Amino acid sequence: MTAIKKSPSQIKEEVREGYTRRIEGKSEGCCTSSCCGGESGKHARSIGYDDQTLAALPDHAVENSFGCGNPLAFSEVKEGDTVVDIGSGAGIDCFVAAGRVGESGRVIGIDMTDAMLEKATANAQAGGFSQVEFRKGEAENMPVDRDSVDWVISNCVINLSPDKPAVFSEIGRVLKSGGRFSISDVVAGNDLPEEIANNLPAWTGCLAGAIREEEYLAGLAAAGLTDIRVTERLYYSREELNHMAGEMGIDPDLTARHIDELADRIWSAKIVGRKV
């Protein structure tokens, strides 16, 4: 594992401030090669949301999508289910889930950033999503009861955590027996260079916190989850990584020194599984 010299509190504060800037329109950084949001959902389409899905969602939720995939694509979330979204942001995946669970279901979005929670709540009210609620909390300690939810979803958020085993444990804690999870996240093929792993802008941009895919899957298994598998991978090329680094405000010399170590060795993975 790459040695990380930044403290968990430093990383969390940088992430909180970074996403506050994004939701307030003061930053264009994002987790993929496309500029996040804007252009009537260009970014959301690029990571797997179809036009029919997007048309049913509040515009501000679509425009402020910062994910790296569509965790609900091809999932079996059904009417009456309870869904928790870790790092719900402006609410796009919560609103997609609401369409699946219907009026008899429930969707709980968890986020640690006040500006995101305010935007998500306004989006829910604008869209009439009465079955969706947003709670302030951290992925490592979610304000959700034990054994209470049918699905946990997350979109390009767990990589931001400096304590991923705690997040995996929380997923296992809140899921009911037989409950399932579907996660889209950025992972790596090998340990990141220390210069990258300790760069705070790279943490906010979903790069520095990427761990090896095998370590990610092992962490989920250690939390008591099973049937864990990767169903999709989207690899980032040299050009895409250079674009990402520029949007994140990373020193271009730093990127240039390590681009050969990163190109095609960082990818967005969709990971699914269940609780025994």
Side-chain angles (χ1 to χ4, degrees):
M1 180 183 293
T2 305
I4 298 173
K5 300 175 183 177
K6 301 297 183 183
S7 70
S9 60
Q10 283 179 301
I11 292 168
K12 282 183 174 290
E13 187 57 29
E14 174 67 20
V15 169
R16 186 180 288 108
E17 290 179 0
Y19 279 89
T20 298
R21 291 192 298 270
R22 292 182 188 189
I23 201 67
E24 292 177 349
K26 298 175 183 177
S27 170
E28 293 183 348
C30 56
C31 302
T32 65
S33 60
S34 303
C35 186
C36 291
E39 296 190 39
S40 300
K42 178 181 177 181
H43 171 67
R45 290 182 179 84
S46 77
I47 58 175
Y49 296 86
D50 60 50
D51 288 343
Q52 183 177 358
T53 297
L54 296 178
L57 305 178
D59 289 343
H60 287 296
V62 175
E63 292 167 4
N64 291 287
S65 167
F66 302 115
C68 60
N70 180 357
L72 284 163
F74 307 110
S75 71
E76 297 175 14
V77 174
K78 64 183 185 300
E79 188 169 352
D81 280 349
T82 297
V83 178
V84 163
D85 182 11
I86 302 175
S88 48
I92 183 171
D93 292 314
C94 290
F95 304 137
V96 174
R100 305 278 187 90
V101 304
E103 292 298 323
S104 62
R106 188 180 185 193
V107 182
I108 303 168
I110 308 296
D111 208 283
M112 68 176 186
T113 304
D114 289 332
M116 286 289 188
L117 292 166
E118 291 173 10
K119 179 68 72 173
T121 299
N123 287 335
Q125 293 172 347
F129 293 100
S130 59
Q131 70 274 63
V132 179
E133 66 170 300
F134 296 96
R135 300 177 183 176
K136 185 172 183 178
E138 297 186 349
E140 301 87 354
N141 186 23
M142 292 189 285
V144 179
D145 291 340
R146 179 182 299 275
D147 304 324
S148 64
V149 307
D150 300 288
W151 282 87
V152 170
I153 62 173
S154 186
N155 195 347
C156 206
V157 169
I158 297 174
N159 73 83
L160 299 172
S161 171
D163 188 358
K164 294 172 182 62
V167 183
F168 299 146
S169 178
E170 279 292 272
I171 293 173
R173 181 184 69 83
V174 304
L175 279 173
K176 299 175 181 176
S177 178
R180 298 164 68 178
F181 64 87
S182 181
I183 297 166
S184 292
D185 214 346
V186 177
V187 297
N190 50 18
D191 289 341
L192 296 176
E194 285 195 23
E195 273 196 305
I196 297 292
N198 286 290
N199 183 277
L200 287 176
W203 270 94
T204 303
C206 313
L207 180 59
I211 61 174
R212 289 178 291 113
E213 184 182 272
E214 61 190 55
E215 182 182 349
Y216 202 112
L217 303 184
L220 288 164
L225 302 163
T226 191
D227 289 345
I228 303 161
R229 65 189 189 280
V230 178
T231 61
E232 296 176 16
R233 294 183 181 90
L234 174 63
Y235 291 84
Y236 298 141
S237 67
R238 174 188 291 267
E239 292 75 17
E240 289 169 324
L241 286 167
N242 273 321
H243 182 85
M244 288 168 64
E247 294 290 342
M248 288 183 273
I250 299 175
D251 182 346
D253 291 337
L254 173 62
T255 306
R257 285 196 296 274
H258 297 290
I259 193 67
D260 289 335
E261 300 172 73
L262 300 176
D264 298 315
R265 298 178 188 178
I266 302 286
W267 58 89
S268 170
K270 183 175 178 182
I271 304 166
V272 301
R274 66 180 178 87
K275 181 177 177 178
V276 177

